[in-house]
Amino acid sequence: MDEELLKREAADEEMINAAFEKLLNDYNNSRHRKKIDLITKAFNFAKQAHKGVRRLSGEPYIMHPIAVAQIACSEIGLGSTSICAALLHDVVEDTDYTVEDISNMFGPKIAQIVDGLTKISGGIFGEQASAQAENFKKLLLTMSEDIRVILIKIADRLHNMRTLESQPANKQYKIAGETLYIYAPLAHRLGLYKVKSELENLSFKFEHPEEYADIEQKLAATQVSRQVSFDQFTKPIEKTLQRMGLKYDIRERVKTPYSIWNKMQNKHVTFDEIYDILAVRIIFTPSSREKEAEECFAIYVKLSQLYKSHPDRLRDWVNHPKSNGYQALHVTLMSKQGHWIEVQIRSDRMNEIAEQGLAAHWKYKEGGEYSEDENELDEWLHTIKEILDDPQPDAMDFLDAIKLNLFASEIFIFTPKGEIKTMPADCTALDFAFSIHTFLGSHCIGAKVNHKLVPLSHKLQSGDQVEILTSKSQHVSPSWINFVSTAKAKAKIQAILRHDNREVQKKGEELLTEWLKKNNIEPTAAIINQLVELHDLHHREELYQALGEKTVLLGEKDLDELSGKAKKQEESGGWRKYVPFVKAKKKEEDPKTKLYVVPEKFNRKKPIFITDENIRQYKFPACCHPIPGDDVLGFIDNKNQIEIHKRACPVANKLKTSYGNRILDAKWDMHKKLFFDATIRLGGIDRRGLVNEVTSIISQQMNLDIRKLMFTTEDGVFEGWIDLRVHDRENVKSIIDSLKKVADLKEISQIT
């Protein structure tokens, strides 16, 4: 036995040393200033601190920090400070060492990053808040001082996702949901497109394993035909680029399983109906940095002579980079097979920035070696900081505010002086005003867009020239929250309204104190609560607000009620007596229909099974209407009852991100006894007898009941909706498969 243990330890040691050796080699091949001794010191310290500890997968714990450091170095392009912080990132959290110890041994900068990566105890949002939102807020607070905190956290999350197999299912859903909701958008916002795609795919794989496997299989099956299309499309391009004398590389970019599935869900289409699975990437070496843009457009001109280009699909990110630094020229060309194919034209520098995002910018500074400590903070960080400086009272609101602009596509707006500002798509004139200055936003009365007067709520288009009109008498109104779409504007409006409300509440409290004093009533908590109850309000702040706004006026009626209640209390010897209304005794409630309450010692790692008998014991909220066969999860709510959500439900995504410890794995165990509602949408060419064909397939062939049928036709094209009662998702799939055989039916999809 001892010999076996020694063998295992020797094998572990060999594996650890090999992983660290690879990290050092990759670091040595980078252009970073070499600080091998510091990295070796951090590795030895972390190895000693985590000695004897293993991950759930069974491998030594130190393999995780090495893997995170490897991702930070090779995939994100970070240097020694980040590599050391990555090696040490779990030391403070999992061992007895403190941030002070790290600071003494490795300096304040590494210690600050490690502290930012360490989970917190004690609340920012208050007792009711979620620990996840708390930790995320701490991460962002440190990130606004040093961007590397979030870059290492993304590397940590990527490795956790790559090794998620060993976790129980409920933990998988929590981590995958949080990754999709927060970390993938963050990676996207920081320009880490490769990392973003892998995070999305891994999340999709763990949340919807069957759909993931199905798309992977279809991608593999269509690979040969895709390769033929790619070769046919790129052959003439290759010849053209060779004639131009360029050093180039043409790559196939295949849509990821997640983005295919996402499109299938959003557009209600099948895999076969997605035509942009293939895209082409041209990466060239420019003759000089100055000629980069010119040569991008020269390639575009030559391509548009080979193929027809789509006039509305030219995206010039070369002259107007995205706010995360992304640069490329995107054009869409019509192939000889009749498909639109997107072509991305990039220089090798642009390609590296697209792959490694923010970190790659440091490489292109003047000089030989470079230090990542010279990083300039992105303007976006200032927006994050502004949101953090005025914390949201609710954890979910806070996460929403941060997420709001992470995935937004961008448009270009011109100021009256002709300067360009990048804004998220769907932004309004009011968003633009707040993006320039809070004063401008809060006193905005309208705008001139392309010299025409427009209201605050006017949506801006790329290329608009905008002049903001203000008035000193203008003030922020609660309705403004509906006119804005950016996180910054929303945060500013909410902050101003909260400040105004505090002033109004203060005034209301003074009015109440005065009124009570005038009527010789002691201002006790019980008296104030009675007044809250009298005016059908929920809490005292609402009462103060109503009094301050003069929507509630205190008078004789309030006095009578208060004195009446006081009198009753005196008569009952100082105790309130409530005589309950006695109903006729009803039969004992069936335990199978009574909502299940989660006991204290409940094993959250085990799946719950939804059966025909116990289904009524669970809550099914209206947000996503899951039916048997859907990928679902359970959520323990504040009453300790269990809600069932689809795993892809937007509400469930927020819950996974904010209250992950309350997520349960849920499985169906149904036997086609019960019926559920489902809606199928149809579209196609109108003809006589078509509705009859559709209804006979559902009613006669499938033997299912139609609850509601609605068809509309216009110019020979129809659209229809059918509400059905089905047993499960399999029923829906069978109906759709049968309906696909009906001539002139062009679109069939299930509405979730």
Side-chain angles (χ1 to χ4, degrees):
M1 185 65 191
D2 287 346
E3 198 179 314
E4 227 172 86
L5 191 68
L6 285 170
K7 267 186 190 173
R8 189 180 177 184
E9 279 180 2
D12 284 349
E13 194 67 25
E14 200 177 316
M15 177 172 69
I16 293 164
N17 290 336
F20 182 61
E21 203 60 45
K22 187 185 182 314
L23 172 65
L24 283 185
N25 285 340
D26 285 6
Y27 172 66
N28 268 323
N29 292 330
S30 75
R31 272 181 52 205
H32 285 278
R33 284 186 200 140
K34 303 298 175 281
K35 295 184 181 174
I36 300 289
D37 292 349
L38 187 69
I39 292 172
T40 308
K41 182 182 173 186
F43 163 68
N44 289 327
F45 182 78
K47 187 181 167 189
Q48 189 56 42
H50 295 299
K51 196 175 182 182
V53 182
R54 291 185 181 273
R55 299 189 87 206
L56 283 178
S57 59
E59 69 176 16
Y61 194 88
I62 187 64
M63 290 301 289
H64 168 64
I66 296 171
V68 174
Q70 182 70 54
I71 293 167
C73 174
S74 307
E75 296 179 53
I76 304 179
L78 296 170
S80 60
T81 305
S82 300
I83 292 168
C84 289
L87 288 166
L88 300 164
H89 80 273
D90 276 337
V91 167
V92 173
E93 199 174 313
D94 297 344
T95 73
D96 293 333
Y97 289 105
T98 64
V99 176
E100 286 73 27
D101 295 333
I102 303 291
S103 185
N104 292 335
M105 292 187 74
F106 299 96
K109 183 51 74 179
I110 290 172
Q112 183 197 3
I113 296 171
V114 170
D115 186 33
L117 292 161
T118 304
K119 293 194 185 99
I120 54 174
S121 53
I124 298 169
F125 290 110
E127 287 168 25
Q128 297 307 308
S130 90
Q132 278 158 281
E134 298 269 3
N135 288 320
F136 193 68
K137 176 154 192 198
K138 181 188 177 187
L139 192 68
L140 290 177
L141 278 164
T142 323
M143 167 190 131
S144 59
E145 300 302 327
D146 194 321
I147 192 76
R148 289 171 294 194
V149 173
I150 205 76
L151 292 170
I152 298 164
K153 185 63 190 173
I154 288 168
D156 177 40
R157 179 51 57 116
L158 180 56
H159 186 247
N160 282 334
M161 287 302 295
R162 284 173 179 172
T163 54
L164 199 56
E165 209 76 63
S166 52
Q167 293 283 358
N170 65 324
K171 203 85 181 280
Q172 287 179 354
Y173 303 149
K174 175 249 177 192
I175 294 168
E178 191 178 65
T179 300
L180 210 50
Y181 192 75
I182 289 289
Y183 290 100
L186 264 171
H188 172 89
R189 189 62 185 73
L190 297 168
L192 300 164
Y193 291 104
K194 219 173 163 188
V195 171
K196 176 212 84 159
S197 297
E198 192 179 345
L199 288 173
E200 286 174 340
N201 269 334
L202 288 167
S203 299
F204 173 44
K205 180 184 170 183
F206 285 104
E207 292 219 80
H208 305 282
E210 284 173 22
E211 281 103 324
Y212 178 83
D214 184 48
I215 292 172
E216 283 272 75
Q217 183 262 317
K218 282 174 177 163
L219 280 173
T222 55
Q223 191 183 348
V224 175
S225 62
R226 238 185 2 259
Q227 191 61 50
V228 170
S229 299
F230 177 76
D231 292 342
Q232 286 174 346
F233 182 73
T234 56
K235 216 171 197 174
I237 295 175
E238 294 225 23
K239 285 178 184 170
T240 301
L241 295 174
Q242 281 162 10
R243 278 199 297 270
M244 289 174 76
L246 288 169
K247 187 184 170 193
Y248 67 89
D249 183 16
I250 296 186
R251 295 178 195 170
E252 167 187 41
R253 192 231 60 185
V254 180
K255 224 175 175 58
T256 62
Y258 172 76
S259 56
I260 291 170
W261 177 76
N262 218 14
K263 195 161 192 177
M264 285 165 68
Q265 302 303 304
N266 296 335
K267 305 263 185 195
H268 299 297
V269 291
T270 62
F271 179 90
D272 301 324
E273 292 170 290
I274 296 175
Y275 292 114
D276 62 345
I277 285 175
L278 174 71
V280 172
R281 196 168 280 159
I282 298 171
I283 300 155
F284 71 97
T285 305
S287 51
S288 69
R289 175 77 185 268
E290 290 70 34
K291 290 203 168 177
E292 227 178 15
E294 192 185 310
E295 287 170 6
C296 270
F297 278 91
I299 293 170
Y300 163 60
V301 170
K302 292 290 183 189
L303 294 187
S304 54
Q305 288 167 2
L306 288 172
Y307 298 105
K308 289 269 188 298
S309 64
H310 195 303
D312 301 326
R313 299 281 289 275
L314 176 68
R315 299 282 179 269
D316 177 12
W317 303 114
V318 174
N319 293 311
H320 308 294
K322 289 190 179 186
S323 50
N324 58 20
Y326 177 82
Q327 280 183 291
L329 187 62
H330 290 197
V331 298
T332 303
L333 304 171
M334 176 62 79
S335 74
K336 298 285 189 264
Q337 288 77 36
H339 295 309
W340 288 111
I341 293 181
E342 187 183 70
V343 179
Q344 299 168 357
I345 306 165
R346 305 171 175 173
S347 70
D348 35 24
R349 179 191 69 86
M350 292 174 192
N351 188 60
E352 199 165 352
I353 287 171
E355 302 267 298
Q356 294 192 337
L358 210 70
H361 287 282
W362 305 325
K363 295 190 180 183
Y364 294 97
K365 289 192 167 190
E366 294 305 310
E369 290 190 335
Y370 65 97
S371 165
E372 63 181 35
D373 291 312
E374 294 156 13
N375 174 27
E376 295 132 15
L377 286 179
D378 184 63
E379 191 184 321
W380 176 67
L381 290 179
H382 298 302
T383 304
I384 292 284
K385 208 165 167 53
E386 282 175 14
I387 295 167
L388 294 167
D389 286 343
D390 183 66
Q392 300 288 327
D394 181 83
M396 299 277 270
D397 288 350
F398 162 72
L399 286 169
D400 275 352
I402 293 297
K403 185 168 189 294
L404 201 56
N405 294 131
L406 290 181
F407 253 153
S409 52
E410 293 165 331
I411 59 174
F412 301 114
I413 305 297
F414 291 91
T415 67
K417 289 180 180 173
E419 292 165 13
I420 289 182
K421 275 195 83 75
T422 306
M423 293 291 294
D426 283 337
C427 70
T428 61
L430 191 55
D431 282 307
F432 184 68
F434 273 105
S435 78
I436 295 167
H437 198 280
T438 305
F439 179 86
L440 211 60
S442 55
H443 292 84
C444 177
I445 51 168
K448 276 187 179 178
V449 173
N450 307 327
H451 310 292
K452 285 182 186 169
L453 201 61
V454 298
L456 303 174
S457 56
H458 177 83
K459 283 200 174 177
L460 302 177
Q461 303 293 322
S462 203
D464 281 347
Q465 186 167 26
V466 184
E467 181 189 348
I468 300 298
L469 306 173
T470 60
S471 163
K472 282 185 180 176
S473 60
Q474 176 69 298
H475 199 64
V476 172
S477 146
S479 64
W480 283 18
I481 212 79
N482 305 316
F483 301 160
V484 292
S485 67
T486 60
K488 183 176 182 176
K490 273 193 190 251
K492 288 293 173 195
I493 291 167
Q494 284 167 339
I496 292 164
L497 290 174
R498 278 200 297 274
H499 179 266
D500 290 352
N501 285 348
R502 280 197 291 271
E503 295 296 312
V504 173
Q505 284 173 19
K506 202 176 170 190
K507 192 179 170 189
E509 197 174 352
E510 284 166 7
L511 286 169
L512 177 63
T513 309
E514 228 171 88
W515 183 81
L516 291 171
K517 195 177 176 184
K518 187 179 154 189
N519 293 290
N520 297 319
I521 301 170
E522 201 181 329
T524 62
I527 290 288
I528 294 167
N529 288 340
Q530 280 176 35
L531 285 169
V532 169
E533 215 175 294
L534 278 173
H535 292 279
D536 286 329
L537 299 168
H538 298 99
H539 44 78
R540 61 179 66 189
E541 282 76 18
E542 269 187 77
L543 177 67
Y544 298 151
Q545 185 82 19
L547 290 169
E549 288 172 346
K550 298 203 164 42
T551 52
V552 164
L553 298 170
L554 298 172
E556 292 298 319
K557 193 183 171 189
D558 298 284
L559 273 177
D560 293 345
E561 288 284 345
L562 288 176
S563 56
K565 284 195 177 183
K567 201 173 177 188
K568 276 181 196 169
Q569 268 182 263
E570 278 170 34
E571 285 168 7
S572 63
W575 291 90
R576 285 192 188 186
K577 276 188 184 172
Y578 294 103
V579 181
F581 175 70
V582 182
K583 288 185 183 176
K585 201 172 184 186
K586 53 177 189 176
K587 270 192 266 177
E588 200 65 40
E589 204 173 348
D590 183 352
K592 286 176 186 172
T593 61
K594 199 177 176 185
L595 285 170
Y596 178 72
V597 177
V598 173
E600 206 174 312
K601 287 182 179 175
F602 181 76
N603 187 347
R604 299 185 184 202
K605 288 181 183 177
K606 279 191 175 178
I608 53 166
F609 288 89
I610 308 161
T611 66
D612 296 292
E613 285 73 35
N614 72 10
I615 193 165
R616 289 181 185 85
Q617 295 180 8
Y618 302 112
K619 292 179 176 178
F620 287 81
C623 50
C624 57
H625 299 291
I627 66 171
D630 283 330
D631 289 336
V632 289
L633 52 78
F635 172 72
I636 302 169
D637 67 12
N638 291 334
K639 292 180 179 175
N640 277 338
Q641 291 162 349
I642 298 174
E643 294 177 3
I644 304 296
H645 291 268
K646 284 185 185 175
R647 285 182 215 156
C649 163
V651 174
N653 283 338
K654 284 192 198 181
L655 296 171
K656 285 179 275 194
T657 308
S658 295
Y659 303 101
N661 60 332
R662 298 197 211 163
I663 298 292
L664 305 172
D665 181 19
K667 296 188 188 304
W668 299 101
D669 184 17
M670 309 289 283
H671 300 92
K672 296 188 187 289
K673 291 180 188 174
L674 304 174
F675 285 95
F676 300 85
D677 294 332
T679 302
I680 288 176
R681 183 193 158 276
L682 306 171
I685 311 300
D686 191 22
R687 64 169 167 83
R688 189 171 290 164
L690 188 116
V691 175
N692 190 34
E693 264 184 74
V694 167
T695 53
S696 66
I697 283 174
I698 295 168
S699 302
Q700 290 163 32
Q701 284 185 33
M702 312 288 298
N703 200 24
L704 290 167
D705 291 336
I706 295 174
R707 298 182 67 230
K708 191 177 169 188
L709 189 67
M710 194 172 88
F711 278 80
T712 59
T713 63
E714 193 177 338
D715 299 331
V717 173
F718 82 89
E719 196 171 15
W721 290 267
I722 306 171
D723 286 358
L724 302 163
R725 303 282 280 157
V726 297
H727 287 302
D728 51 28
R729 181 67 59 218
E730 207 177 292
N731 267 173
V732 178
K733 193 179 178 304
S734 302
I735 295 164
I736 290 173
D737 288 345
S738 299
L739 290 175
K740 277 179 182 173
K741 293 166 190 166
V742 176
D744 298 322
L745 263 186
K746 303 294 180 191
E747 295 172 356
I748 310 163
S749 59
Q750 194 226 333
I751 295 172
T752 51

